[in-house]
Amino acid sequence: MGEAVLWGVIAAAPLFIGAVLALLRKWPPRWLGIVLGFGAGALMASIAFELWEEGLDLAGPVPLVVGVAAGAISYYIADRILDARAAKSKSQAGGGRLAVGALLDGIPEQLVLGIGLASGEPVSIALVVAILVSNLPESIGSAADLLEGGMAKSRVLLLWAGVAVICAAATVAGFALASVTGDAFRSASSGFAAGALLVMLVDSMVPEAQSKAKESTGLATVLGFALAAGLALA
């Protein structure tokens, strides 16, 4: 159990660290867009080479596809709720969307991590670095947008601390549930994370990066993809 707590904290820490970095300095819009584009590319690689591939290997296409559909629908509904609230308060929902995406990705992803630890599977340094590469830009971008939208610094830190704690707790939960879950559950969990991330990338993260970084977005996205893919295949 101690190992699950340790790795849960390590995997979730970049979410909070990114929010702290956003508070320490004001990021120019262009640099923020490049960071978001880089993170989007890293998340694309995570979907292709970790979540999808692992889910398919574990239990075949059916649980994986069911999980993808559930994750996509869950993010879509959460996004519509955020849009409605933003319309009422006349504020921007971009930062909140990225936070919801991080939560819907982090919970199933770290559940799978906890289950793997309980099963005796080793955690690779490449995987840890890949999580850092994808989570850090996501939280920097979200926190910066929330601050720009007028949210108090203390609330931004509290929000991302909460997301990090919930994701870390998911690793412990996965470790505890390992004996009553099977490969189909792990496959569906990977699919859920992939589905939520795909909708978030298309609807929120990539458009947000494009609006800020303009012509630099594509290059930053490819660099993020290349680095994360290389780590996943290392």
Side-chain angles (χ1 to χ4, degrees):
M1 184 64 75
E3 187 181 14
V5 173
L6 174 63
W7 285 111
V9 170
I10 290 173
L15 297 169
F16 182 71
I17 292 171
V20 172
L21 290 175
L23 264 65
L24 289 177
R25 57 164 295 177
K26 184 174 177 61
W27 291 69
R30 182 177 178 81
W31 279 104
L32 189 57
I34 290 172
V35 167
L36 285 170
F38 187 88
L43 288 171
M44 291 174 190
S46 176
I47 293 168
F49 297 106
E50 292 174 22
L51 298 173
W52 184 269
E53 195 172 90
E54 181 179 354
L56 198 61
D57 289 343
L58 282 169
V62 175
L64 178 62
V65 171
V66 170
V68 168
I73 293 169
S74 295
Y75 181 84
Y76 179 82
I77 292 172
D79 195 27
R80 300 287 73 76
I81 293 171
L82 285 175
D83 278 344
R85 290 183 177 179
K88 287 182 180 179
S89 61
K90 297 181 181 179
S91 62
Q92 297 289 330
R97 288 169 176 163
L98 295 180
V100 169
L103 193 63
L104 293 180
D105 159 49
I107 291 174
E109 192 173 55
Q110 292 199 215
L111 270 173
V112 171
L113 175 62
I115 293 170
L117 287 169
S119 304
E121 297 177 5
V123 177
S124 69
I125 298 301
L127 174 61
V128 174
V129 176
I131 291 173
L132 172 67
V133 167
S134 60
N135 283 349
L136 196 60
E138 194 174 8
S139 59
I140 290 173
S142 171
D145 275 354
L146 291 170
L147 290 168
E148 188 178 341
M151 182 179 285
K153 292 182 178 181
S154 58
R155 288 189 62 194
V156 173
L157 283 178
L158 187 62
L159 169 65
W160 279 99
V163 171
V165 168
I166 291 170
C167 290
T171 305
V172 179
F175 188 92
L177 293 171
S179 60
V180 295
T181 58
D183 288 344
F185 177 82
R186 293 176 64 185
S187 176
S189 295
S190 293
F192 186 97
L197 280 176
L198 282 169
V199 179
M200 187 270 288
L201 284 168
V202 174
D203 285 358
S204 304
M205 197 166 183
V206 172
E208 186 80 7
Q210 179 66 39
S211 71
K212 288 179 167 65
K214 305 299 181 184
E215 72 282 352
S216 301
T217 306
L219 178 60
T221 301
V222 171
L223 292 175
F225 181 92
L227 176 59
L231 290 169
L233 297 173

